[in-house]
Amino acid sequence: MRSVSSTQDVARRLPIGSVVVADHQTAGRGRLNRRWEAPAGSALLVSFVLQTNPLLSLAAGIAAAEACGAAVRLKWPNDLLLDGRKLGGILVEATPDKAVCGIGINLSWAPAGAARLDQPREWLLARLRAKIDYWSQAPPDAVIDRWRELSDTIGRRVRVELPDRVVEGLAQDIGSGGELIVDGEPFVAGSVTHL
Ligand code: BT5
């Protein structure tokens, strides 16, 4: 599609198995109503309609990192990093009967301080479709193990910002439900900064 409000809004009305790709979004979004910016034609902007799966956000991160190439790492919970800078992001919006998994990856443009991949969109989309098929159905243990391997967060000092407090400590691991464990305490949500 050429221009949509958000590929998430189009995908939400479609059945499981659908894939929506757009050149441009007038209201691309991240988590917590943050904006996702991309000039027309400069990025891969795609939403997959999938079965619900509690580890889908991590599984989609793995799929996107593998599709982009070996240099890409993952920052908990949902950022793709290239050379420590944000290359792309993942937004999972679930209803009881399906999950809409949105992925944005910078190709020919990136905001200041962010990264871009400089690869053709169709090449990346074909690789991503295959990886999403595989990882969205992979066993939970395999998802957690592969996420650990691709992680740039585990082993680092981090700051976790929650609505009511801020925690700093060592990101030790992720748990079996995908939660980030910082100094022994599990976090299921929050914004993480690598220190
Ligand atoms: C994300 O949110 O990283 C998830 C982004 C998902 C975007 C895709 S595009 C296809 C589908 N349709 C949509 O409407 N959304 C999905 P979050 O972790 O909340 O990060 C958002 C923050 O990243 C913003 O507040 C900016 O600081 C930053 N940002 C915005 N655009 C960016 C870009 N192109 N590259 C890097 N960082 C960006």
Side-chain angles (χ1 to χ4, degrees):
M1 302 178 90
R2 305 245 318 258
S3 183
V4 297
S5 55
S6 158
T7 55
Q8 296 289 98
D9 297 335
V10 179
R12 192 173 47 203
R13 299 191 290 268
L14 300 175
I16 287 172
S18 306
V19 181
V20 176
V21 182
D23 284 340
H24 184 243
Q25 301 183 117
T26 55
R29 60 178 179 266
R31 294 175 304 150
L32 309 168
N33 277 326
R34 292 189 283 237
R35 282 193 58 81
W36 188 257
E37 307 285 350
S42 71
L44 177 60
L45 306 167
V46 57
S47 294
F48 295 90
V49 187
L50 300 166
Q51 310 266 12
T52 58
N53 162 355
L55 293 181
L56 186 56
S57 176
L58 299 188
I62 297 167
E66 289 188 348
C68 288
V72 174
R73 289 283 168 277
L74 296 170
K75 174 172 163 259
W76 191 89
N78 72 336
D79 284 359
L80 300 170
L81 300 183
L82 182 61
D83 298 328
R85 292 177 299 144
K86 185 156 171 166
L87 171 68
I90 289 159
L91 173 68
V92 175
E93 296 174 319
T95 63
D97 57 329
K98 63 189 177 195
V100 179
C101 174
I103 302 179
I105 300 174
N106 302 324
L107 297 176
S108 60
W109 174 91
R116 62 194 176 89
L117 194 61
D118 235 341
Q119 293 286 349
R121 188 174 80 178
E122 293 312 312
W123 172 87
L124 184 58
L125 178 61
R127 289 169 60 98
L128 183 58
R129 288 177 93 124
K131 296 288 187 185
I132 285 280
D133 278 353
Y134 179 84
W135 284 108
S136 66
Q137 299 177 62
D141 288 358
V143 172
I144 297 293
D145 287 351
R146 185 66 177 133
W147 199 91
R148 276 194 193 105
E149 288 173 3
L150 291 171
S151 168
D152 194 41
T153 299
I154 295 170
R156 279 184 186 269
R157 287 194 60 78
V158 296
R159 179 185 303 127
V160 186
E161 285 170 48
L162 303 161
D164 55 336
R165 67 194 171 114
V166 176
V167 176
E168 288 190 8
L170 178 68
Q172 294 165 310
D173 200 1
I174 52 167
S176 58
E179 64 278 18
L180 183 68
I181 300 168
V182 179
D183 289 347
E185 187 182 351
F187 294 92
V188 294
S191 290
V192 169
T193 308
H194 290 167
L195 298 175

